Amino acid sequence: VQLQASGGGLVQAGGSLRLSCAASGRTFSRYTMGWFRQIPGKEREFVAAIRWSGGNTYYADSVKGRFTISRDNAKSTVDLQLNSLKPEDTAVYYCAAKNTPLIVTTSSLYDYWGQGTQVTVSS
């Protein structure tokens, strides 16, 4: 599976962005998809995940109620809508894929990663 993330940018606090991750290769619908973020010098942090069917999602407490993950298996894409952004949301955001029907929140367990997209929130 090859993943290509896009949609990052610079936004003021309180604003919104929509990140998208396009997948190619193997059967996308069999993969749990996740979004993670990383600040230089810190470990990669779980943000959100969605099961292959799209029926189950899971969020980090820090983004719950502000971010929404969704997927379109027909288009092989997974999106992350970021609302009510805060300066502490500034990071490089990565999408990831794992061939499992389960929700996975540990970065080391994911099999495939996109290249990352920068999100910068100014105060």
Side-chain angles (χ1 to χ4, degrees):
V1 174
Q2 295 179 330
L3 304 175
Q4 180 75 32
S6 62
L10 173 63
V11 64
Q12 289 188 331
S16 298
L17 283 173
R18 189 172 185 89
L19 308 183
S20 185
C21 179
S24 61
R26 300 193 179 189
T27 307
F28 175 76
S29 60
R30 295 180 181 177
Y31 287 76
T32 282
M33 300 298 297
W35 283 96
F36 291 78
R37 63 188 182 187
Q38 190 169 25
I39 301 170
K42 291 197 172 183
E43 291 189 357
R44 200 160 290 188
E45 174 190 28
F46 169 77
V47 175
I50 186 167
R51 286 186 63 202
W52 64 273
S53 65
N56 293 90
T57 58
Y58 190 78
Y59 298 92
D61 287 343
S62 58
V63 307
K64 201 173 295 182
R66 300 188 297 122
F67 293 6
T68 303
I69 188 171
S70 61
R71 67 188 294 162
D72 186 334
N73 287 340
K75 297 181 179 179
S76 297
T77 58
V78 59
D79 291 348
L80 186 68
Q81 178 67 39
L82 291 65
N83 295 331
S84 302
L85 281 161
K86 305 175 182 179
E88 51 264 44
D89 293 318
T90 295
V92 177
Y93 283 70
Y94 298 88
C95 59
K98 180 170 179 62
N99 189 353
T100 177
L102 304 176
I103 288 288
V104 177
T105 62
T106 303
S107 59
S108 61
L109 297 179
Y110 276 82
D111 303 313
Y112 304 97
W113 290 87
Q115 84 287 5
T117 184
Q118 176 72 46
V119 172
T120 304
V121 185
S122 62
S123 57

